[in-house]
Amino acid sequence: MTEGKNAPPSSSAEVPFQHRLDRKVSMLPHRLVGVIDEGTSTVGFSIFTTPHFEEIATHRMEMPLIAPKPGWFEQDAVVIINNVYRCVEVAITKLPESFQKEDLVAIGITNQRETTVVWDSVSGKPLYNAIVWNDIRTNHTVDQVLARVPDQNKNYFKHMCGLPISPYFSALKIRWLKDNVPAVKKACREKRCKVGTIDSWIIWNLTKGSLHITDVTNASRTMLMNIETLQWDPVLLKTYSVTLNMLPQICSSSEIYGSVTDERSILHGVDISGILGNQQASLLGQMCIKPGQTKNTYRSGCFLLCNIGHQAIISPRGLLTTIAYKLGPNAPVTYALEGAVAVAGHALEWLEKKVRILPQASDAEKFAETVPTTGDVYFVPAFTGLYAPYWRKDARGLIVGLTHHSTKHHVIRAALESICFQTRDILECMYQESEYKFSKLYADGPLSSNNLLMQLQADTAGVTVFRSQILDPTAFGAAMCAAQAEGVDLFKFDIEKKYYENIYYDVFLPTSNAAEQRQRYGKWKRAVERSFDWAFRPKSSTMTEQRYQLLASVPGSLFCFISFAMFVHSMKK
């Protein structure tokens, strides 16, 4: 590993390493940009200077998960917005003496995607807890939808929305809420039910209900937006029983949507000028603005996005087609191929809290380094099924290859390697779909601070890994997006620029050879296959069209048979 010197082409790391705090402070008037960063486990507010985007104040709060049943994950939407307001207040008190609240000229919002909220447009109160992106309660709802499409093809709508029919996306969550929550049913009948991802919920509150909007990146994760027209698709709305009046207006990712009007917020009067799903914000935060540039965010899950330019590619191999960003109402849309790994850091938390062989998840590197290999142990962490490229909700976790000599250290190292193998699965598909040859992978996220994990990733995938020294570039990317909106004009993304002064990388070079990589990856694929078909479900008794036609034909067929038999009998007389 080298520290911030060996740079990828066309990246900021071509310049010599320079600590962010060593730069000269501008004597120009202060113009600050704030970012509401709402993630799965935390909510935060960060304040950045321009044009270098130094983070000068931040405050974060934990966001508890509610798990009413195994595999169900919810959050209190009221707690989310209250925590947003609290983080804003505290972060502003942390501003250095030379700055003040009035220097804030705009704010951006970045949020966990797919997580879905329904609320009453009259009272403004949630009708149910927010259903979190990794919740699997909609497995049966998926089966109901699949029963109505030809050949039960989970990719039937992929040419429209870029996504497979999966519990992961918002449309299924909305359908479940309408089918199972009486308050939601009643609000829908009375046309006062509003629904959205978390960005919509935050903006609704910040503007006292005057704005019900979302951006193209979040809308592309609902399974309701047409990936070409960037509008809600009538066929998809009908399929999932969603009415247009429930949904937010789809906007670009960077424009002045309006200003904060809620008197409860200290941001009153500040323009809202940027919205991005958190993984798209991370893509911009890594400056992956050229086709072929790819980043992976290592958190509780992993999210790989590859910029594919202005033409959508619909993947037959399990990747998602999503919107990377649209930097203005009149700007062209940029697409991305995405692969999601459901369980990355969650595997380490499981080893810590469930099987208790790891004192703390943060100790994984120390324990895994005590053994040179996994001892041929492979860990497939399919706790809630497998996402891209398999999309097997029937898969379940397993550990294989154990011998009398296997120890907890081998299992912990295998858990780290499972993250790397799942990443390679997606990179292989991205190469086949986009024909971009990946020689480098940009990495970020809290888990990327694990040096052993980054080295294992380089060795497993055979690519050089460039870890951003900003471990969480999500807020950073959202800040630049908000700052570059027309009317704010504090920054401009430039695809021709060779480096950016505010990004530096640590570099991890592959040390294994191609033969070793193929041999170990082959065993991983065999282990994955063994995880399939564990979560058996009884065959659905749902009345499909084919079953209805068959049953409907029985009385007529019986009549014809009896009539023919009587005719034959009469001829014999």
Side-chain angles (χ1 to χ4, degrees):
M1 183 188 76
T2 58
E3 295 288 340
K5 294 178 181 178
N6 295 338
S10 302
S11 84
S12 64
E14 290 174 338
V15 298
F17 177 79
Q18 176 186 17
H19 197 279
R20 291 167 60 84
L21 298 180
D22 292 340
R23 301 191 195 96
K24 294 181 180 179
V25 178
S26 172
M27 301 306 293
L28 296 174
H30 300 312
R31 305 191 73 186
L32 307 179
V33 174
V35 173
I36 295 170
D37 184 359
E38 191 280 330
T40 307
S41 56
T42 64
V43 174
F45 185 70
S46 300
I47 303 173
F48 296 84
T49 63
T50 59
H52 292 300
F53 295 92
E54 300 283 357
E55 185 182 82
I56 58 172
T58 187
H59 186 70
R60 305 196 70 82
M61 297 178 68
E62 295 292 322
M63 189 63 226
L65 280 175
I66 302 164
K69 294 182 181 180
W72 291 31
F73 300 104
E74 302 173 359
Q75 289 176 324
D76 187 331
V78 174
V79 173
I80 290 175
I81 193 63
N82 287 341
N83 283 0
V84 166
Y85 287 151
R86 180 59 181 161
C87 287
V88 170
E89 292 173 1
V90 176
I92 287 177
T93 65
K94 294 181 178 180
L95 282 171
E97 290 184 2
S98 57
F99 299 91
Q100 53 187 349
K101 178 258 176 185
E102 286 69 26
D103 294 327
L104 269 172
V105 296
I107 64 166
I109 296 168
T110 181
N111 57 283
Q112 54 174 316
R113 308 168 305 167
E114 297 94 21
T115 298
T116 306
V117 188
V118 286
W119 67 92
D120 188 321
S121 63
V122 178
S123 69
K125 295 181 180 179
L127 297 166
Y128 192 80
N129 283 336
I131 300 181
V132 180
W133 59 273
N134 58 348
D135 184 286
I136 60 171
R137 75 184 67 190
T138 58
N139 275 344
H140 181 60
T141 310
V142 169
D143 293 337
Q144 290 178 321
V145 174
L146 286 174
R148 296 169 55 191
V149 303
D151 301 321
Q152 298 194 11
N153 179 9
K154 64 186 176 184
N155 292 321
Y156 184 73
F157 297 115
K158 205 169 186 184
H159 67 286
M160 297 182 188
C161 61
L163 310 173
I165 301 170
S166 165
Y168 186 21
F169 305 110
S170 304
L172 276 302
K173 297 171 173 40
I174 299 170
R175 176 69 180 270
W176 185 92
L177 288 162
K178 290 189 68 176
D179 290 346
N180 294 278
V181 181
V184 175
K185 289 182 184 179
K186 183 179 179 183
C188 288
R189 286 197 305 269
E190 298 174 0
K191 299 189 185 313
R192 53 185 174 82
C193 179
K194 296 296 180 185
V195 64
T197 41
I198 299 293
D199 57 308
S200 298
W201 168 245
I202 291 173
I203 292 172
W204 173 277
N205 281 274
L206 289 176
T207 62
K208 298 173 66 174
S210 64
L211 284 179
H212 186 31
I213 62 174
T214 188
D215 89 301
V216 288
T217 67
N218 281 291
S220 71
R221 312 300 296 184
T222 62
M223 210 157 47
L224 296 172
M225 188 191 81
N226 188 294
I227 203 76
E228 295 286 351
T229 67
L230 308 185
Q231 299 297 322
W232 303 121
D233 190 284
V235 173
L236 297 172
L237 296 184
K238 184 177 180 180
T239 299
Y240 298 105
S241 303
V242 180
T243 55
L244 194 60
N245 66 298
M246 298 169 62
L247 294 166
Q249 176 188 349
I250 301 175
C251 301
S252 77
S253 306
S254 182
E255 61 181 279
I256 297 178
Y257 314 101
S259 60
V260 178
T261 57
D262 189 352
E263 296 84 358
R264 293 179 299 164
S265 174
I266 197 171
L267 296 174
H268 189 276
V270 177
D271 286 334
I272 305 168
S273 61
I275 310 170
L276 283 168
N278 55 6
Q279 298 310 318
Q280 285 88 340
S282 172
L283 188 75
L284 279 179
Q286 288 274 31
M287 292 298 178
C288 292
I289 58 176
K290 294 183 179 181
Q293 291 182 320
T294 304
K295 72 90 192 177
N296 190 16
T297 296
Y298 297 80
R299 310 178 72 95
S300 53
C302 280
F303 302 91
L304 279 84
L305 271 74
C306 173
N307 184 324
I308 56 173
H310 304 315
Q311 186 67 42
I313 297 172
I314 304 301
S315 167
R317 294 179 174 86
L319 298 180
L320 312 179
T321 305
T322 194
I323 306 297
Y325 49 82
K326 187 177 189 294
L327 298 176
N330 301 315
V333 63
T334 297
Y335 292 94
L337 284 176
E338 176 173 343
V341 173
V343 178
H346 276 318
L348 304 180
E349 293 170 9
W350 180 77
L351 293 176
E352 173 195 346
K353 297 177 181 178
K354 299 297 184 181
V355 288
R356 301 181 184 277
I357 65 172
L358 186 60
Q360 290 185 317
S362 57
D363 293 329
E365 181 175 6
K366 178 178 68 175
F367 276 74
E369 282 183 327
T370 62
V371 289
T373 70
T374 66
D376 222 24
V377 173
Y378 290 80
F379 182 178
V380 182
F383 299 149
T384 57
L386 289 170
Y387 287 2
Y390 308 103
W391 294 106
R392 294 293 297 255
K393 62 188 178 69
D394 59 356
R396 287 298 179 265
L398 56 81
I399 301 173
V400 295
L402 294 171
T403 69
H404 182 71
H405 302 289
S406 301
T407 68
K408 64 181 180 181
H409 303 94
H410 294 105
V411 174
I412 293 167
R413 191 177 180 104
L416 290 178
E417 286 197 349
S418 74
I419 300 169
C420 305
F421 281 126
Q422 291 178 94
T423 298
R424 175 166 175 176
D425 282 337
I426 296 169
L427 287 174
E428 293 278 333
C429 287
M430 284 182 172
Y431 172 64
Q432 294 170 2
E433 298 289 1
S434 66
E435 298 184 353
Y436 292 116
K437 180 62 177 176
F438 302 111
S439 59
K440 51 185 175 289
L441 175 67
Y442 296 88
D444 60 69
L447 205 57
S448 69
S449 63
N450 185 317
N451 289 332
L452 177 60
L453 175 65
M454 294 293 96
Q455 188 58 56
L456 290 173
Q457 185 65 83
D459 291 337
T460 301
V463 299
T464 303
V465 175
F466 294 90
R467 178 179 62 193
S468 172
Q469 291 183 2
I470 307 172
L471 291 182
D472 189 357
T474 304
F476 176 62
M480 290 187 290
C481 183
Q484 77 96 56
E486 184 177 352
V488 180
D489 302 316
L490 295 176
F491 178 75
K492 203 68 178 176
F493 288 99
D494 183 359
I495 198 170
E496 300 302 326
K497 198 168 184 179
K498 291 192 173 181
Y499 66 86
Y500 287 85
E501 296 177 353
N502 43 4
I503 305 183
Y504 298 90
Y505 297 93
D506 302 321
V507 183
F508 297 82
L509 302 172
T511 59
S512 60
N513 59 48
E516 292 173 335
Q517 293 164 13
R518 283 195 302 270
Q519 189 266 341
R520 301 198 63 252
Y521 185 57
K523 282 197 170 183
W524 161 258
K525 298 292 280 187
R526 287 166 55 195
V528 168
E529 290 173 3
R530 285 161 171 75
S531 75
F532 296 164
D533 294 319
W534 279 97
F536 287 111
R537 296 180 61 84
K539 291 186 177 179
S540 173
S541 59
T542 303
M543 182 66 72
T544 64
E545 184 67 23
Q546 294 90 337
R547 186 178 298 166
Y548 174 79
Q549 294 293 341
L550 177 63
L551 293 177
S553 69
V554 169
S557 301
L558 185 62
F559 173 78
C560 293
F561 176 77
I562 293 173
S563 299
F564 179 73
M566 292 175 65
F567 173 75
V568 171
H569 180 70
S570 66
M571 292 294 291
K572 291 180 179 179
K573 290 183 177 181

